[in-house]
Amino acid sequence: RKGRASYLGARSVGHEDPGASSSALLVEALAEAAKG
């Protein structure tokens, strides 16, 4: 139920979260598609 960062604690600082990155790409693609 918890992401990998919760187990790594402070060691995860500075590393990009893959789930957040993929979500951001999806939202960006939807925004571009909505523009036309």
Side-chain angles (χ1 to χ4, degrees):
R1 300 273 174 203
K2 291 186 176 183
R4 204 171 291 153
S6 69
Y7 299 116
L8 294 175
R11 292 180 292 160
S12 67
V13 173
H15 292 279
E16 195 169 310
D17 177 27
S21 299
S22 62
S23 296
L25 284 172
L26 286 171
V27 170
E28 190 175 326
L30 285 170
E32 285 295 318
K35 283 184 185 178

